[in-house]
């Protein structure tokens, strides 16, 4: 990759950029452009680099800088020692000579390195910061320049939204500071400041920038600032200004102090909650000040009533104060405080190791990786259907998103509040339209169209784990495509390069191997098929009537020949490895032993060679540290095969590589597609989702093929009335009881019945709980409204019930039993009502699988789950949408109330349309919650005590076992928690 010139010109060009309403104010400097001519002098060339390194997330005893000036030699390992700079930072100034920059890595002197994921850091000159892998230009330790003839400059960041601000200045008659200038420090909400010495000058000229090429230079005129205190806001300089951050006198009616501040520690993190100020002024944010420990005082501004402080010292008391801030920057005169003591630091997630925690705690965000976010355009591929589909006209290749793009937006997903990401299959695919991943060809190889330098699949897994997020990999055991499986069996089809078919069949190239990414030189295509066909009958061919013409023609009118396309009944596929029939009855036995589609070669999963091939492939991804598997088309494999072969193999491999606890929490959830509204799929227990959560109860033949038939007949004869039941999901009265998982198969499932009935939330709720006694444990059910396949009621469109209905559906999913799951973009009703999939007959941009990256373009950083530290660009707008804010608070509440994550439930003694109680008890934790969604409810026979609503903070004292709740309104809910802490999060468009 060609490295761009990092050297910045001394001053920005005057190319105007419109940002946040400041048309013509901000300017961007093109790479390599010469500075505009001006009467401000010429800055000297940078000959040094001062590298600041952020220590808080490392906690090393020593820090070394190992570097190489551009074109020069590397220092001797471990490099040069860095020195203390200021709180959480070390620094080292190095002489670059004539070099424009340097390459660098950091280490602790004892073999632990930060080398930017193997890529090294590429740094420039001047003041440079490296913080958690992010490089910026500023001085994080900037203070004042000392007393005397000084200018104190306050700069308003309210309209530019910068997280880093630099002051580039020139005292009258003096020299300009080197670009980008000196760092400004936060002063109060919306303001940064810097005090600089003027020497003998009375004024200075100034421009401001964010350290990454975006400038405010007063539309090319620079600012003139006098000594004393000045403010710069909206291109207006106010001399001899009042301190904009000074405390306001009482007559300005500053906001009142927040109330009920509470701090709780979990490991080395502290969660601070409070109730909003109850004054008449518009409070826009809160100032949180933390003291204690070894980190000194930290002041930050947050927009919600929940603040997460992470990565603190172990077993240390931290004190916090909270003040309210209004739109004018006025602070409440007093503050409320709380203290919490941290525990022991949890083990740092190891590379290639699953997080290993209870999956019910992790809401799931589901993405089609190739359609989510494009981090690397060099791996984009359109395939053979690029033009026909209409994608070419939209400049929208089917393979567009990638792992790099997903890594870049993990903070977006985390900011929504999700801690698990379900991604579509990663194995090398091969078909005409294979972006979705379900046409696996080489199960042992990751599809190169998803990977980039520095963003491999392993990098994605490790990056997610570093943020406390899980990766669930979609896997396919049932079928392969185009048309066999590499390393198992791939047939040659008949083909001929005649006047009709030469356009389709590529000339064979024995030296080329398909990998999905590389262009085959003879055909000039990546979707090369020259290795798949033969005009001459290949050795060992078993396909009947090889190459003889049929009565059929292609859509173009070309003659079709026998053995030209895959056909399970043609003899093309060996019976030992592939099933040799078409499905005739989707609820019959043949649905597990026949083909779904001619482009999905159905492997014989009852054959030991096939089993070992698939087990070996998926062991690779277990070893990489994925946290679970979503199993595609699970219903098309007999339960006996799952229970005998695949599920034990998964458990054994996870245990072997990662330990028993990781195996216990490795989450396997199957797609058992049952598109009916009744409890059992048209009366066929073998084709119902709950059936797959149970072990066998009869001994069958040792032969897997025979056993599959015996089980099918046995269970069909037993029928729906003679199936196992469980109360693992249900309270006994008000009491939580230990679940019995002794008969659990190892596979959980997608809740197809709730999915089918999510046309409205009450229907989904009543249908869902009606089935719960037939699952081994319904608290593990994966619950979603729509997906990449269907909407409710087997609709072929993305859900379009409206924002209020979406809010109500979410409120139910996030509080009822099961694991809430959201298909990408539903947080903004992306593509609502659009056909989910039409193959290559229409462009992807018009479907439910459209590219989402434009909605999340820009920068986002999450300071915790559901908490946005900073955002800019389109993603900032997306994060302000009503359903996004609704999701964030739902995730805050669910994460704070254990009963909503892992609790059993009951509707006993409760009136109300969607009302229930949930409880989870473990050790010293006893979490009991009363929930009602949208409507009113009355709870009788409940424990007496104090209940606090997590939504409003309302407190009720129950003395006679009864509590009544008024209807909160559609999409809203009430969560009364026994001995709860009260309101969690800030009011939003629905939860209020």
């Amino acid at each position: 990759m060609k490295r761009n010139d990092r050297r910045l010109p001394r001053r920005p060009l005057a190319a105007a950029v419109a940002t946040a309403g400041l048309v013509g104010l901000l300017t961007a400097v093109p790479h390599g452009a010469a500075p505009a001519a001006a009467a401000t002098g010429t800055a000297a060339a940078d000959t040094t680099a001062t590298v600041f390194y952020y220590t808080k997330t490392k906690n090393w005893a020593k820090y070394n800088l190992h570097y190489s000036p551009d074109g020069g030699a590397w220092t001797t390992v471990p490099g040069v020692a860095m020195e203390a700079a200021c709180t959480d930072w070390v620094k080292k100034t190095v002489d670059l000579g004539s070099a424009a920059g340097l390459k660098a890595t950091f280490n602790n002197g004892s073999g632990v390195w930060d080398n930017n994921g193997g890529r090294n850091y590429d740094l420039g000159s001047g003041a440079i910061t490296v913080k958690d892998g992010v490089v910026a230009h500023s001085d994080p330790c900037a203070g004042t320049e000392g007393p005397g003839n000084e200018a104190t400059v306050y700069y308003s960041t309210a309209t530019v939204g910068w997280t880093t601000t630099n002051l580039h200045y020139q005292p009258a008659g003096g020299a300009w500071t080197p670009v980008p200038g000196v760092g400004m420090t936060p002063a109060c909400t919306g303001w940064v400041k810097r005090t600089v010495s003027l020497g003998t000058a009375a004024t200075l000229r100034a421009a401001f920038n964010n350290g990454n090429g975006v400038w405010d230079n007063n539309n090319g005129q620079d600012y003139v600032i006098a000594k004393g205190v000045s403010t710069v806001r909206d291109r207006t300089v106010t001399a001899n200004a009042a301190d904009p951050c000074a405390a306001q006198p009482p007559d300005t009616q500053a906001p009142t102090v927040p109330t009920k501040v509470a701090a709780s520690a979990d490991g080395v993190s502290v969660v601070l909650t409070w109730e909003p100020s109850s004054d008449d002024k518009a409070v826009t944010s809160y100032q949180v000040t933390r003291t204690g420990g070894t980190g000194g005082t930290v002041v930050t501004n947050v927009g919600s009533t929940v603040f997460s402080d992470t990565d603190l010292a172990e077993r240390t008391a931290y004190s916090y104060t909270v003040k309210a801030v209004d739109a004018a920057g006025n602070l409440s005169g007093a503050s409320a405080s709380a203290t919490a003591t941290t525990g022991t630091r949890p083990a740092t997630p190891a590379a290639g190791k699953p997080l290993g925690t209870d999956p019910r705690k992790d809401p799931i965000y589901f993405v089609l990786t190739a359609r989510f976010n494009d981090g690397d355009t060099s791996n984009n591929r359109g395939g053979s259907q690029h033009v026909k589909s209409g994608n070419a006209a939209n400049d929208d290749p089917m393979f567009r998103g990638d792992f790099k793009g997903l890594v870049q937006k993990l903070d977006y997903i985390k900011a929504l509040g999700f801690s698990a990401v379900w991604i579509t299959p990663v194995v090398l695919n091969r078909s005409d339209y294979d972006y979705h991943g379900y046409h696996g060809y080489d199960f042992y190889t990751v599809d190169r169209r998803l990977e980039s330098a520095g963003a491999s699949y392993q990098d994605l897994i490790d990056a997610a784990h570093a943020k406390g997020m899980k990766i669930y990999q979609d896997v396919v055991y049932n079928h392969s495509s185009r048309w066999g499986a590499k390393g198992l069996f791939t047939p040659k089809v008949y083909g001929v390069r005649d006047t009709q078919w030469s356009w389709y069949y590529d000339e064979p190239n024995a030296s080329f191997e398909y990998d999905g990414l590389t262009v085959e030189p003879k055909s000039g295509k990546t979707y090369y098929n020259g290795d798949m066909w033969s005009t001459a009958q290949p050795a060992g061919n078993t396909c009947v009537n090889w190459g003889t013409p049929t009565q059929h023609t292609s859509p173009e009118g070309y003659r079709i020949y026998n053995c030209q396309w895959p056909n399970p009944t043609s003899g093309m596929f060996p019976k030992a490895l592939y099933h040799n029939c078409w499905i005739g009855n989707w609820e019959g036995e043949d649905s597990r032993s026949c083909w779904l589609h001619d482009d999905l070669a159905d492997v014989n999963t009852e054959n030991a060679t096939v089993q070992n091939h698939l087990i070996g492939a998926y062991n690779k991804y277990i070893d990489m540290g994925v946290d679970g598997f979503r199993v595609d088309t699970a219903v098309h494999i007999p339960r006996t095969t799952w229970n005998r072969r695949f599920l034990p193999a998964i458990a054994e491999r996870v245990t072997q590589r990662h330990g028993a606890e990781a195996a216990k929490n490795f989450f396997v959830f199957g797609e058992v597609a049952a598109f009916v509204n009744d409890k059992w799929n048209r009366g066929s227990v073998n084709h119902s989702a709950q059936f797959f959560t149970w072990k066998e109860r009869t001994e069958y033949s040792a032969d897997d093929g025979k056993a599959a038939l015996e089980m099918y007949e046995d269970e069909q004869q037993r029928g729906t009335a003679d199936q196992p039941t469980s109360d693992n999901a249900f309270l006994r009265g008000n009491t939580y009881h230990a679940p019995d998982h002794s008969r659990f198969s190892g596979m959980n499932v997608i809740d197809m019945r709730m999915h089918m009935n999510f046309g409205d939330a009450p229907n989904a709720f009543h249908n869902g709980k009606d089935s719960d006694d037939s699952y081994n444990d319904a608290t593990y059910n994966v619950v979603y409204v729509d997906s990449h396949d269907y909407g409710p009621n087997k609709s072929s469109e993305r859900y379009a019930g409206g924002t209020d209905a979406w809010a109500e559906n979410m409120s139910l999913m996030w509080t009822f039993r099961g694991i809430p799951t959201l298909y990408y973009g539903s947080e903004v009703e992306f593509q609502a009502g659009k056909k989910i999939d039409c193959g290559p007959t229409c462009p992807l941009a018009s479907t439910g699988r459209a590219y989402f990256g434009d909605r999340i373009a820009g920068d986002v950083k999450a300071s915790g789950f559901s908490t946005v530290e900073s955002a800019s660009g389109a993603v900032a707008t997306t994060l302000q949408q009503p359903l996004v804010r609704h999701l964030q608070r739902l995730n805050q509440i669910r994460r704070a109330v254990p009963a909503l994550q892992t609790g059993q439930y009951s509707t006993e003694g409760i009136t109300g349309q969607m009302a229930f109680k949930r409880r989870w008890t473990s050790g010293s934790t006893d979490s009991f919650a009363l929930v009602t969604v949208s409507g009113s409810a009355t709870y009788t026979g409940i424990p007496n005590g104090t209940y606090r609503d997590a939504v409003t903070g309302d407190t009720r004292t129950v003395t006679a076992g009864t509590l009544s709740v008024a209807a909160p309104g559609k999409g809203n809910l009430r969560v009364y928690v026994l001995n709860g802490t009260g309101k969690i999060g800030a009011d939003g468009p629905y939860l209020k």
Side-chain angles (χ1 to χ4, degrees), residues 650-687:
I650 292 171
E652 289 167 9
R653 188 67 169 199
V654 179
T655 302
Q656 178 189 37
R657 288 290 189 267
H658 307 301
E661 188 66 17
K664 172 186 172 184
N665 290 312
F666 189 89
F667 191 46
V668 179
F669 58 105
E671 177 204 27
V672 182
F675 300 107
V676 293
N677 289 312
D678 50 4
K679 185 172 183 176
W680 298 96
N681 186 2
R682 295 185 176 91
S684 174
V685 296
N686 281 277
H687 298 86

Side-chain angles (χ1 to χ4, degrees), residues 226-242:
K227 69 177 181 179
V229 177
S230 298
T231 60
V232 181
R233 181 171 185 171
D234 295 339
R235 283 196 295 169
T236 300
V237 177
T238 303
N240 298 316

Side-chain angles (χ1 to χ4, degrees), residues 430-432 439 479-483 566 595 597-601:
R430 191 171 191 180
S431 76
D432 286 334
H439 287 180
H479 57 263
S480 62
S481 185
R482 202 74 9 154
W483 281 281
W595 284 38
H597 187 270
D598 62 0
D599 212 21
L600 301 177

Side-chain angles (χ1 to χ4, degrees), residues 47 51 73 76 116 144 287 378 388 418 482 543 554 559 563 566 584 623 673 699 747 760 808 881 959:
T47 58
V51 181
T76 304
N116 194 24
T144 63
Q287 185 186 90
S378 70
K388 177 183 176 182
F418 292 93
R482 202 74 9 154
C543 189
S554 72
R559 180 62 53 199
C563 307
D623 294 352
E699 288 292 327
M747 180 185 289
D760 63 88
E808 185 175 58
Q881 299 309 300
T959 58

Side-chain angles (χ1 to χ4, degrees), residues 752-786:
M752 293 300 296
R753 194 172 182 196
M754 287 195 73
H755 163 55
M756 279 294 294
N757 286 280
F758 253 120
D760 63 88
N763 200 36
F765 171 66
H766 292 291
N767 276 275
K769 67 188 183 72
D770 177 58
S771 296
D772 283 357
D773 64 341
S774 59
Y775 297 95
N776 182 268
D777 191 340
T779 66
Y780 288 86
N781 284 12
V782 170
V783 181
Y784 58 60
V785 173
D786 64 357

Side-chain angles (χ1 to χ4, degrees), residues 565-573 579-582 594-595 597-598:
W565 305 106
N567 184 331
T569 61
S570 67
M572 183 182 292
F573 293 84
H579 292 135
N580 281 205
C581 55
W582 296 104
C594 298
W595 284 38
H597 187 270
D598 62 0

